[in-house]
Amino acid sequence: MSSMSTSKRKSHDVQQNQHLHYPFWFGGSASCFAACVTHPLDLVKVASQFLIPPNQAHKPQVRLQTASQDAPKKMFSTFTQILKNDGFLGLYSGLSASLLRQLTYSTTRFGIYEELKEEFTTGVSAPSFPTLIALSSTSGFLGGVAGNPADVLNVRMQHDAALPINERRNYKNAIDGLIRMTREEGWRSLFRGVWPNSMRAVLMTASQLSSYDIFKTLLLSRTSLEDNLLTHFSASFLAGFVATTICSPVDVIKTRVMSAKVSKSLPRLLADIYGREGVRWMFKGWVPSFIRLGPHTIVTFLFLEQHKRIYRRLKDVD
């Protein structure tokens, strides 16, 4: 029996040689649940990128990413500072923007990816790895454009936690933030950084969704694992590792562009970063990125697989 046949036999997504069709919104819903779990990590990660130590306050620079070897220490320092200044609920500052981002960005990219993947899946064959990369890249780009306004808002609301009280934007919630951004800065502010953000969405979706499918297929076909929680956890952990490594450089650029109060061209921004930090900036924040993205990827896919499991039970096909 071929490895592909073994994978299809073990997979719960294939019933009677037919690939099950799941609702479009499952990916967005799973991502919202995951955001509720991992939001404090995302908040601390973004805040720690901009937190300037007191003894460096006189220096005219903003820290884009913390150095890898100091990342856990600096993230813990940021965590305690937010708790001290804003209490436990401060760790969920900007959650409404994060949920809005998942409802737009993640629903679009997951939904389109699954729809496209189904078009290329038959009872006897599945999409090849290059095809999965192409499908996920397309869905990622569309998701990046759809989710950009909420992404800008999400970064700003999380960034507020690292700013002095008198410098905070103090958006009340996601809707208030969108209205104020449009009124105070014009509608174009909603699409600030849309191109680097869309490119990041392409890289994220291609490295996250397609790699999860590939790792899951390999685990089912090359090992004795079944289509269960252990397989889902293992595949999502590996997908999170790949996604963090590929997206780290773009993540630095995206965060700086979206939080900036003065717009800069992308070439000028890259020149400024390179002038201050050299080539090390590309992976300088890998550890804090993985601390956030790893758990988020794992929880997202675990919730997604549970969505599918419940759906199969309701349809009586599990």
Side-chain angles (χ1 to χ4, degrees):
M1 183 177 292
S2 68
S3 60
M4 182 60 69
S5 297
T6 302
S7 173
K8 292 175 71 63
R9 177 176 57 82
K10 290 182 177 181
S11 176
H12 293 314
D13 292 336
V14 179
Q15 300 290 336
Q16 299 178 348
N17 286 330
Q18 294 294 321
H19 194 276
L20 290 177
H21 181 272
Y22 295 105
F24 187 90
W25 53 270
F26 268 16
S29 175
S31 297
C32 284
F33 279 109
C36 292
V37 175
T38 64
H39 185 77
L41 292 175
D42 197 17
L43 173 69
V44 170
K45 176 225 170 188
V46 172
S48 65
Q49 290 175 351
F50 296 92
L51 190 63
I52 302 177
N55 61 353
Q56 297 182 20
H58 63 285
K59 296 183 179 181
Q61 67 176 25
V62 177
R63 298 187 66 86
L64 295 172
Q65 295 277 75
T66 55
S68 296
Q69 63 269 24
D70 295 332
K73 180 179 178 181
K74 292 189 177 183
M75 289 187 70
F76 181 76
S77 176
T78 305
F79 181 87
T80 55
Q81 177 176 316
I82 294 174
L83 276 179
K84 180 180 179 181
N85 294 340
D86 304 306
F88 176 78
L89 292 180
L91 295 172
Y92 282 89
S93 175
L95 179 61
S96 61
S98 181
L99 293 177
L100 179 62
R101 177 177 181 267
Q102 301 304 334
L103 288 172
T104 51
Y105 164 65
S106 290
T107 299
T108 301
R109 70 186 184 115
F110 271 95
I112 293 178
Y113 175 70
E114 292 295 335
E115 293 289 337
L116 292 175
K117 187 172 67 173
E118 185 176 332
E119 290 295 321
F120 286 83
T121 302
T122 67
V124 295
S125 65
S128 64
F129 181 61
T131 301
L132 288 177
I133 293 293
L135 299 183
S136 56
S137 296
T138 301
S139 59
F141 179 81
L142 296 174
V145 174
N148 199 81
D151 212 1
V152 176
L153 189 61
N154 186 42
V155 170
R156 288 186 174 194
M157 292 181 73
Q158 292 177 348
H159 182 203
D160 262 10
L163 293 175
I165 295 178
N166 62 329
E167 295 183 17
R168 296 181 180 182
R169 292 184 172 94
N170 290 321
Y171 297 142
K172 295 177 181 178
N173 50 55
I175 303 302
D176 176 63
L178 291 175
I179 293 174
R180 283 183 52 189
M181 284 173 61
T182 304
R183 184 175 64 240
E184 297 170 8
E185 304 174 51
W187 65 269
R188 293 180 184 274
S189 65
L190 300 176
F191 292 93
R192 174 176 288 180
V194 65
W195 296 119
N197 189 42
S198 296
M199 291 304 101
R200 178 189 181 276
V202 168
L203 294 175
M204 173 64 71
T205 307
S207 59
Q208 193 180 50
L209 272 62
S210 59
S211 66
Y212 176 79
D213 281 339
I214 293 299
F215 286 130
K216 182 180 175 182
T217 298
L218 290 174
L219 289 170
L220 292 177
S221 62
R222 305 288 185 180
T223 72
S224 60
L225 292 175
E226 298 292 332
D227 193 352
N228 54 28
L229 186 63
L230 178 58
T231 300
H232 304 157
F233 177 87
S234 301
S236 57
F237 177 86
L238 293 170
F241 183 90
V242 172
T244 302
T245 302
I246 292 178
C247 295
S248 182
V250 185
D251 205 22
V252 179
I253 299 172
K254 185 201 85 166
T255 302
R256 171 57 70 88
V257 168
M258 290 186 171
S259 63
K261 294 186 177 181
V262 178
S263 180
K264 288 184 180 181
S265 66
L266 187 57
R268 174 66 182 277
L269 179 65
L270 291 174
D272 289 346
I273 298 174
Y274 179 78
R276 281 194 297 267
E277 304 183 40
V279 296
R280 293 178 300 173
W281 67 269
M282 295 181 66
F283 298 102
K284 204 169 185 181
W286 191 94
V287 171
S289 292
F290 183 74
I291 289 174
R292 177 262 164 183
L293 185 57
H296 183 81
T297 301
I298 293 170
V299 176
T300 296
F301 282 111
L302 291 183
F303 273 120
L304 180 59
E305 294 288 359
Q306 291 305 305
H307 276 57
K308 293 180 177 180
R309 179 169 173 266
I310 294 172
Y311 181 81
R312 291 193 300 269
R313 287 194 171 185
L314 291 176
K315 294 292 184 178
D316 198 26
V317 294
D318 202 351

Coordinates of all heavy atoms in Angstrom, one line a residue, residues 38-47 98 101 154 158 292:
T38 N -4.1 32.8 23.3 CA -2.7 33.3 23.1 C -2.5 34.8 23.0 O -1.4 35.3 22.8 CB -2.1 32.7 21.8 OG1 -2.8 33.2 20.7 CG2 -2.2 31.1 21.8
H39 N -3.6 35.5 23.1 CA -3.5 37.0 23.0 C -2.5 37.6 24.0 O -1.8 38.5 23.6 CB -4.9 37.6 23.2 CG -4.9 39.1 23.0 ND1 -4.9 39.7 21.8 CD2 -4.9 40.2 23.9 CE1 -4.8 41.0 21.9 NE2 -4.8 41.3 23.2
P40 N -2.4 37.2 25.3 CA -1.4 37.8 26.1 C 0.0 37.6 25.6 O 0.8 38.6 25.7 CB -1.6 37.1 27.4 CG -3.0 36.7 27.5 CD -3.3 36.3 26.0
L41 N 0.3 36.5 25.0 CA 1.6 36.3 24.4 C 1.9 37.2 23.2 O 3.0 37.8 23.1 CB 1.8 34.8 23.9 CG 1.8 33.7 25.0 CD1 1.8 32.4 24.3 CD2 3.0 33.9 25.9
D42 N 0.9 37.4 22.4 CA 1.0 38.3 21.3 C 1.2 39.8 21.7 O 2.0 40.5 21.2 CB -0.3 38.2 20.4 CG -0.1 38.8 19.0 OD1 1.1 39.0 18.6 OD2 -1.1 39.0 18.3
L43 N 0.4 40.1 22.7 CA 0.5 41.5 23.3 C 1.9 41.8 23.9 O 2.5 42.8 23.6 CB -0.5 41.7 24.4 CG -0.5 43.0 25.2 CD1 -0.9 44.2 24.3 CD2 -1.4 42.9 26.4
V44 N 2.4 40.8 24.6 CA 3.7 41.0 25.3 C 4.8 41.0 24.2 O 5.8 41.8 24.3 CB 4.0 39.9 26.3 CG1 5.4 39.9 26.7 CG2 3.1 40.0 27.5
K45 N 4.6 40.2 23.2 CA 5.6 40.2 22.1 C 5.7 41.5 21.4 O 6.8 42.1 21.2 CB 5.3 39.1 21.1 CG 6.2 39.0 19.9 CD 5.4 38.9 18.6 CE 6.3 39.0 17.4 NZ 5.5 39.1 16.2
V46 N 4.6 42.1 21.0 CA 4.5 43.4 20.3 C 5.0 44.5 21.2 O 5.8 45.3 20.8 CB 3.1 43.7 19.8 CG1 3.0 45.1 19.3 CG2 2.7 42.7 18.7
A47 N 4.6 44.5 22.5 CA 5.0 45.5 23.4 C 6.5 45.5 23.7 O 7.1 46.5 23.8 CB 4.2 45.4 24.7
S98 N -7.9 42.0 17.8 CA -7.3 40.7 17.5 C -8.4 39.8 16.9 O -8.2 39.1 15.9 CB -6.7 40.1 18.7 OG -6.1 38.8 18.4
R101 N -9.4 40.9 13.5 CA -8.4 40.5 12.5 C -8.6 39.0 12.1 O -8.5 38.6 11.0 CB -7.0 40.6 13.1 CG -5.9 40.1 12.3 CD -4.5 40.4 12.9 NE -3.4 40.0 12.0 CZ -2.9 38.7 12.1 NH1 -3.3 37.9 13.0 NH2 -1.9 38.4 11.3
N154 N -4.8 46.2 15.4 CA -4.4 45.3 16.3 C -3.0 45.6 16.9 O -2.7 45.6 18.1 CB -4.3 43.9 15.7 CG -4.0 42.8 16.7 OD1 -4.5 42.8 17.8 ND2 -3.2 41.8 16.3
Q158 N -2.1 47.0 20.8 CA -1.2 46.2 21.6 C 0.0 47.1 21.9 O 0.6 47.0 23.0 CB -0.8 45.0 20.8 CG -1.9 43.9 20.7 CD -1.4 42.7 19.9 OE1 -0.4 42.7 19.3 NE2 -2.2 41.7 19.9
R292 N 5.2 33.2 20.6 CA 3.8 33.6 20.3 C 3.2 32.8 19.2 O 2.1 32.2 19.4 CB 3.8 35.1 20.0 CG 2.4 35.6 19.6 CD 2.2 35.6 18.1 NE 0.7 35.7 17.7 CZ 0.3 35.7 16.5 NH1 1.1 35.6 15.5 NH2 -1.0 35.8 16.2

